[in-house]
Amino acid sequence: MRWTTLSVVVLLVVAGCSGGESSVPGAAPASAIDALLAKAPVAANLPAGSAMARIRERGELLIGGSLDAPLLSQQDPGTGELTGFDADLGKLLAKYVLGEPKTKLVISTSETREPLLANGTVDVVLQTYTITPQRAERVAFAGPYYSSGQAIAVRNGTDGIAKPADLSGHKVIAGANTPAIAAIKAAAPTAEIVEFGSDPECLTALRQGRGEAYVQDQALLIADAAQDEDLRLVGEPFTTDPYGIGIKHGDDQFKRFVDDWLREIQKSGLWQDVWRNSIGTVVTGEPPTPPAIGSAQGS
Amino acid sequence: MSHLPALVDGFLTTLALVALSFAGAFALGLVVVVLRIAPVGVLRAVGTGYVETFQNIPLLVWLVLFVFGLPEIGVRFPLFTTAVVVISLYEAAYVAEALRSGVNTVAHGQGEAARALGLTFGQSLRHVVVPQAARRVVQPLGNIGIALTMNTSLAAVAGVVELTASANRVNLVEALPIPIFVGAGLCYALLAAGIGGLAGLLERRPAT
């Protein structure tokens, strides 16, 4: 009896965490990315001895990234396919270097990204890696390839939080190891930050009243709100987070190569197509103007 | 090192977690071990059930259940309290087993002799069993204390900003994972060495 009750509780929690939905946000039909890959460019000649030449020799691009970031880099539980904005860019980059979209994902975290790059375990990190001058001292950043921002979400019926400064004195939920923590500290120094490991956990905590607001990347919050009628976004993003592609520190040749590729796919409209297939499935309107390469301090 | 205050805060939170959880685990462990060696079958079953339940399900699962599961049925504690309660409940099972192993080292005849002298269960525990068992459980309890210290790092997933979580926060800004986490690791090693040393002192304490 006791075990039955316990299992029911476990199942309820698990169901709560997964949102009870089987659909994966940002999961475009596989054919969409195949069509993009078909017209994706391939680099003409790679200088001998360069990082690109070594990757082509190896036959696959090693990418540091995530399996659980909706819209950005999430594994479809049904097909095992990685979908999302970062994931698709990774496939396009692999095609550019290798001629075919052969990638291998190495799960990286904010604790391991820099060592993984430094010791050559991965070739690039594509993981909503915000470019900052401090990080640029240890990592080379190509890009920025996307400009995002932190936004605030609250439950329906929450009053008194209309702008970032209103977070002062409130309990604010944020994802552990996300730029949200620094953003909250800067906008509302007296806010009490409560961290949880993943987006579903943060949403559960918000629903259970462990905080009055949730600060997270706007695209993720829009995806969450699309599945949850009780969630409401407040105001516009209040930070600018330029995401860069992490590359081994000091490898200017590889960085320029990736920058050139980013410029090329921005110009040809591939970047916009990738956006439509991923973030554009929940954010309405036309794709934004991609950030200018090299525009972020540290890129 | 503008981040030192944050790391010190994290370390102090870890210390508080260790001290409160160990106190809770010890108190509860005592109750559980008394149940486990009680002469009444029902009580023994309750004690065994407790130990099996908590030893056979990982601490992380308990944390997630208490942090996210209990609020679903309307029970919500502050996160720090939740972490202390869960770690105490979990480690109490191990404390109880360590204490029981100490009790088992007391020769069976001693208990029978105590009964033959007409001592009650409580009296035989107090005057015969516990004094002999106590010194033999110091080292195992020290090891449980060390394991508990390491386990407090799991409280980071439950939103408690202890040493691991604060190291994570600092690393997010500085992007220097190796020195930061080596430093945090040294703090844990220091705590563990302290607990081990304390256990050694207690064990060598002259018999009273």
Side-chain angles (χ1 to χ4, degrees), chain A residues 110-111 135 195 208 210, chain B residues 68 72 77 159 168-169 172:
Chain A
S110 53
E111 301 95 69
R135 286 177 180 171
E195 294 169 42
Q208 293 174 343
R210 293 207 181 270
Chain B
F68 294 111
E72 296 291 316
F77 298 110
N168 263 327
R169 276 188 184 184
L172 197 65

Side-chain angles (χ1 to χ4, degrees), chain A residues 101-149:
Chain A
K102 276 204 74 175
T103 60
K104 187 178 164 200
L105 188 95
V106 177
I107 295 175
S108 56
T109 63
S110 53
E111 301 95 69
T112 60
R113 294 188 287 218
E114 290 87 15
L116 287 177
L117 281 171
N119 67 21
T121 308
V122 299
D123 300 312
V124 294
V125 169
L126 253 165
Q127 193 183 31
T128 61
Y129 203 171
T130 306
I131 303 171
T132 69
Q134 277 153 311
R135 286 177 180 171
E137 288 171 21
R138 345 248 176 241
V139 181
F141 284 106
Y145 66 91
Y146 185 67
S147 183
S148 184

Side-chain angles (χ1 to χ4, degrees), chain A residues 196-262:
Chain A
F196 294 97
S198 67
D199 178 57
E201 285 181 355
C202 289
L203 288 171
T204 307
L206 182 67
R207 185 165 44 79
Q208 293 174 343
R210 293 207 181 270
E212 284 93 52
Y214 172 28
V215 174
Q216 177 60 278
D217 185 278
Q218 189 196 26
L220 258 184
L221 285 183
I222 291 172
D224 291 334
Q227 299 190 330
D228 181 352
E229 285 178 1
D230 200 25
L231 195 72
R232 194 162 51 84
L233 268 73
V234 179
E236 287 300 303
F238 62 99
T239 64
T240 309
D241 297 321
Y243 293 158
I245 298 178
I247 288 168
K248 189 173 189 164
H249 192 235
D251 195 343
D252 282 338
Q253 193 186 29
F254 191 28
K255 174 179 139 82
R256 275 198 308 276
F257 174 85
V258 177
D259 277 342
D260 288 344
W261 164 75
L262 281 172

Side-chain angles (χ1 to χ4, degrees), chain B:
Chain B
M1 271 315 266
S2 59
H3 298 291
L4 208 56
L7 288 171
V8 170
D9 271 359
F11 184 67
L12 292 178
T13 306
T14 291
L15 273 184
L17 270 178
V18 170
L20 293 173
S21 309
F22 192 77
F26 188 73
L28 193 58
L30 271 179
V31 175
V32 174
V33 78
V34 170
L35 290 177
R36 284 214 78 173
I37 58 174
V40 184
V42 181
L43 296 182
R44 275 204 304 277
V46 170
T48 308
Y50 182 92
V51 170
E52 293 299 324
T53 306
F54 279 92
Q55 276 193 340
N56 293 327
I57 296 178
L59 178 56
L60 189 57
V61 174
W62 289 113
L63 273 168
V64 170
L65 273 178
F66 272 69
V67 172
F68 294 111
L70 284 186
E72 296 291 316
I73 53 169
V75 184
R76 185 161 63 85
F77 298 110
L79 292 170
F80 182 82
T81 315
T82 310
V84 169
V85 168
V86 175
I87 297 172
S88 298
L89 286 171
Y90 178 79
E91 297 289 344
Y94 291 89
V95 169
E97 285 301 89
L99 294 177
R100 194 165 68 94
S101 76
V103 170
N104 286 343
T105 64
V106 180
H108 215 69
Q110 302 253 347
E112 284 167 0
R115 263 204 306 283
L117 288 173
L119 298 185
T120 65
F121 176 64
Q123 282 170 330
S124 70
L125 272 188
R126 198 159 60 245
H127 299 297
V128 179
V129 179
V130 168
Q132 298 185 71
R135 286 183 58 201
R136 291 169 185 150
V137 299
V138 170
Q139 256 331 317
L141 281 182
N143 288 339
I144 289 168
I146 290 169
L148 183 147
T149 306
M150 305 304 145
N151 280 339
T152 57
S153 64
L154 286 177
V157 300
V160 179
V161 188
E162 39 65 78
L163 183 56
T164 303
S166 52
N168 263 327
R169 276 188 184 184
V170 172
N171 176 56
L172 197 65
V173 177
E174 292 297 331
L176 281 170
I178 292 173
I180 291 169
F181 286 99
V182 166
L186 284 177
C187 290
Y188 281 110
L190 220 71
L191 272 177
I195 294 170
L198 193 70
L201 273 181
L202 283 176
E203 201 182 28
R204 280 192 299 277
R205 194 185 51 157
T208 47

Side-chain angles (χ1 to χ4, degrees), chain A residues 13-203:
Chain A
V13 171
V14 170
C17 289
S18 66
E21 292 280 342
S22 58
S23 67
V24 178
S31 57
I33 178 66
D34 288 343
L36 286 190
L37 283 166
K39 51 181 179 171
V42 179
N45 39 2
L46 306 177
S50 62
M52 308 74 99
R54 282 199 304 276
I55 296 165
R56 184 176 282 184
E57 216 169 281
R58 188 199 304 134
E60 66 181 354
L61 179 70
L62 302 173
I63 302 177
S66 313
L67 294 175
D68 59 354
L71 297 178
L72 296 161
S73 184
Q74 186 177 35
Q75 191 167 38
D76 186 316
T79 62
E81 190 73 12
L82 208 57
T83 58
F85 189 73
D86 285 355
D88 288 354
L89 283 182
K91 289 174 193 163
L92 291 183
L93 179 58
K95 167 107 191 263
Y96 191 61
V97 182
L98 304 163
E100 51 177 341
K102 276 204 74 175
T103 60
K104 187 178 164 200
L105 188 95
V106 177
I107 295 175
S108 56
T109 63
S110 53
E111 301 95 69
T112 60
R113 294 188 287 218
E114 290 87 15
L116 287 177
L117 281 171
N119 67 21
T121 308
V122 299
D123 300 312
V124 294
V125 169
L126 253 165
Q127 193 183 31
T128 61
Y129 203 171
T130 306
I131 303 171
T132 69
Q134 277 153 311
R135 286 177 180 171
E137 288 171 21
R138 345 248 176 241
V139 181
F141 284 106
Y145 66 91
Y146 185 67
S147 183
S148 184
Q150 300 294 318
I152 304 169
V154 295
R155 289 276 137 208
N156 275 333
T158 306
D159 292 323
I161 297 178
K163 55 183 186 299
D166 296 340
L167 296 175
S168 289
H170 287 285
K171 278 190 175 174
V172 184
I173 295 164
N177 305 320
T178 64
I181 293 162
I184 298 166
K185 280 186 182 165
T190 58
E192 186 190 332
I193 304 171
V194 190
E195 294 169 42
F196 294 97
S198 67
D199 178 57
E201 285 181 355
C202 289
L203 288 171

